[in-house]
Amino acid sequence: MPSTETTPLRLEDNDGHATVGMLVTRVYDPAERARRAGLRLAGFWGAAVVSVFIPLAHFVLVPGFAIAGVVVAWMVWRQERAVDHAKGRCPACGEEVIIPLEANDTLPKWTYCPACKASVKLSAVD
């Protein structure tokens, strides 16, 4: 199970109002990284095996899935941490919100408040 790490985060709206929140990041240990990479590799290679039975398309699908499996597994294995979400009080509406983020998002990042749809800038606390 990956451990979680929290860091302070600044939420700012277009009018300059700011609040402080937390950025939640998942941190993977080497065993977890290997497990995640192995699952991706098995999934792609499983798709390659199933593709063997598709006439004509298997000439492209089998090597494609085999190569993609290795590439995706390598990318997942190299990923030591992944951003999960940001939580804090929206500077525009004052509502306590959880903002989902993509695993490879970097700060600063402009996004929207899920409650009021106002633009919110997420940045590291100085």
Side-chain angles (χ1 to χ4, degrees):
M1 188 89 194
S3 61
T4 58
E5 184 178 277
T6 58
T7 54
L9 177 73
R10 179 181 165 97
L11 291 84
E12 185 176 357
D13 66 2
N14 286 333
D15 298 330
H17 301 106
T19 59
V20 176
M22 298 303 280
L23 179 67
V24 179
T25 306
R26 287 173 290 177
V27 180
Y28 301 111
D29 62 355
E32 178 70 18
R33 290 171 37 211
R35 188 187 71 76
R36 292 176 67 236
L39 287 173
R40 299 322 189 274
L41 185 64
F44 275 95
W45 284 5
V49 168
V50 170
S51 299
V52 167
F53 303 106
I54 303 173
L56 294 177
H58 74 272
F59 291 115
V60 174
L61 294 178
V62 173
F65 281 132
I67 293 168
V70 173
V71 171
V72 170
W74 175 257
M75 290 170 49
V76 169
W77 182 77
R78 286 184 35 214
Q79 186 178 27
E80 295 178 1
R81 58 184 58 235
V83 175
D84 191 39
H85 64 274
K87 59 183 174 180
R89 189 165 301 280
C90 174
C93 67
E95 184 105 8
E96 191 70 30
V97 294
I98 295 176
I99 302 170
L101 298 170
E102 296 293 321
N104 56 358
D105 281 343
T106 58
L107 298 179
K109 176 181 176 50
W110 280 96
T111 187
Y112 294 96
C113 170
C116 67
K117 307 298 185 223
S119 293
V120 177
K121 180 182 178 183
L122 307 175
S123 59
V125 174
D126 296 332

